[in-house]
Amino acid sequence: MTTKPVRKAVFPVAGFGTRFLPATKAVPKELLPVVDQPLIQYAVDEALAAGIDQLIFVTGRGKGTIEDYFDRQFEIETDLEAKGKTEILNALGKTRLKPGQAAFVRQQEMAGLGHAVWCARHLIGDEPFAVLLPDELLWNPADPCLAQMNRTYEAKGGNVISVLEVPEEHVHRYGVIDPGAAEGAVTEVKGMVEKPKREVAPSRLAVVGRYILQPEVLKVLDAGKKGAGGEIQLTDAMAELIGVQPFHAQTFDGARHDCGEKAGFIIANLALALERPDIADTIRAYARTI
Ligand code: UTP
């Protein structure tokens, strides 16, 4: 099957991060560090590893530092260079995107994830695109989530979303799919519902923050229909494409850390710290004492 390659990725980063206040009063949630790297960098690394070459950030008021983060920082760089601290200087290399590779648009009001994606419609244009929610840290550096999804997209075309099985008592927090035929990690999507009550949830397969979508979803979002919580939901717009275009869910093979909430964020720090040779022993030794 020939499919148009996915070249663009949208990062919706306009949310208030209320669950992390006061930490997120002046610092965007997406710049909170897991070990020594902000959340947004993990999502950007994942996108670039999957062959994405254009990055679109949907920001909001007070999020200007995300744009600064991806710029040069002459004072620090000059100082590091003068002091010969090349290792740290090299670590900054990945924060400098190619000229023109990143674009920033603002979502003026928090009207929902669907609305945030719709704010990027002119930059997306008429081609397939990825959406990555940076507060979901999907960790498999050897085979990142979006790369796993891209392989399914190349085989099946249409739309591909990532899912994971969650406990029944948590389904009400997520978009949940109604599963059709499954082939290994790939499941056909027959329906989708945002934040269902446990009794009516069609499965325990929850959508976890990664999407490959066709541009037609933007036409559906044009209508500005409000859904759960009075927000314009991406899930509702995607649901309208089921049956019209191929639609598959890819069960993510890797570790998922929900860094949008405190416990998940702390666990992510612990888990990734234990993979760092310079600090793993210290962290492990301390953890044993408690
Ligand atoms: P969340 O609801 O998890 O993020 O939205 P939040 O609003 O930042 O956090 P809390 O709930 O207040 O603690 C999921 C993702 O969608 C983006 C958020 O930035 C986050 O990455 N989002 C959500 C938007 O960009 N715009 C919206 O209107 C809603």
Side-chain angles (χ1 to χ4, degrees):
M1 175 165 206
T2 43
T3 51
K4 263 195 194 175
V6 186
R7 302 181 309 143
K8 299 184 180 181
V10 178
F11 301 86
V13 291
F16 292 137
T18 27
R19 284 167 287 175
F20 276 94
L21 283 169
T24 45
K25 186 181 170 196
V27 177
K29 175 169 72 175
E30 298 74 18
L31 291 185
L32 297 179
V34 171
V35 188
D36 52 7
Q37 194 170 271
L39 277 169
I40 191 76
Q41 183 74 57
Y42 290 94
V44 164
D45 288 349
E46 182 186 331
L48 296 176
I52 297 290
D53 59 23
Q54 295 177 39
L55 312 171
I56 303 164
F57 299 88
V58 182
T59 70
R61 281 180 297 285
K63 300 270 184 163
T65 43
I66 296 178
E67 196 164 345
D68 295 338
Y69 173 80
F70 288 109
D71 201 347
R72 300 198 73 137
Q73 225 296 10
F74 281 104
E75 207 174 339
I76 294 177
E77 289 171 26
T78 312
D79 183 65
L80 291 172
E81 215 166 290
K83 291 178 178 155
K85 295 189 172 171
T86 40
E87 205 177 315
I88 309 177
L89 196 59
N90 291 342
L92 284 181
K94 55 161 43 175
T95 68
R96 285 185 233 115
L97 299 172
K98 284 189 271 175
Q101 191 173 31
F104 297 83
V105 286
R106 271 198 184 193
Q107 184 189 25
Q108 289 96 338
E109 48 169 336
M110 285 316 100
L113 181 59
H115 182 261
V117 171
W118 180 77
C119 286
R121 66 198 177 283
H122 297 304
L123 293 168
I124 297 167
D126 190 27
E127 57 178 290
F129 61 100
V131 178
L132 295 93
L133 306 189
D135 47 4
E136 286 281 3
L137 179 45
L138 299 184
W139 187 238
N140 181 344
D143 188 13
C145 183
L146 196 64
Q148 295 177 24
M149 293 165 66
N150 214 4
R151 290 198 294 276
T152 300
Y153 170 70
E154 279 163 10
K156 306 278 187 190
N159 304 274
V160 181
I161 56 177
S162 66
V163 292
L164 273 178
E165 207 166 277
V166 298
E168 204 174 281
E169 59 274 23
H170 291 171
V171 286
H172 67 279
R173 301 181 188 168
Y174 300 91
V176 173
I177 68 156
D178 181 5
E183 252 180 89
V186 181
T187 307
E188 200 190 325
V189 178
K190 290 199 306 184
M192 217 181 303
V193 44
E194 184 63 32
K195 301 189 171 64
K197 287 208 173 83
R198 178 182 178 157
E199 311 78 64
V200 294
S203 73
R204 291 198 286 124
L205 289 175
V207 185
V208 285
R210 299 291 184 275
Y211 314 77
I212 290 176
L213 300 172
Q214 295 300 316
E216 285 75 16
V217 76
L218 301 169
K219 299 271 171 304
V220 180
L221 287 167
D222 277 341
K225 233 193 274 174
K226 289 185 179 160
E231 296 192 337
I232 301 173
Q233 298 287 357
L234 183 61
T235 303
D236 298 341
M238 292 189 300
E240 292 200 27
L241 298 181
I242 297 167
V244 180
Q245 298 179 340
F247 215 116
H248 294 88
Q250 166 93 35
T251 300
F252 171 53
D253 174 17
R256 174 217 175 206
H257 301 293
D258 179 1
C259 293
E261 53 100 19
K262 281 171 249 187
F265 177 75
I266 305 289
I267 291 169
N269 268 285
L270 269 178
L272 271 69
L274 290 174
E275 293 184 21
R276 296 291 185 92
D278 55 337
I279 54 171
D281 289 346
T282 313
I283 305 290
R284 193 172 289 111
Y286 176 69
R288 286 209 177 100
T289 68
I290 53 171

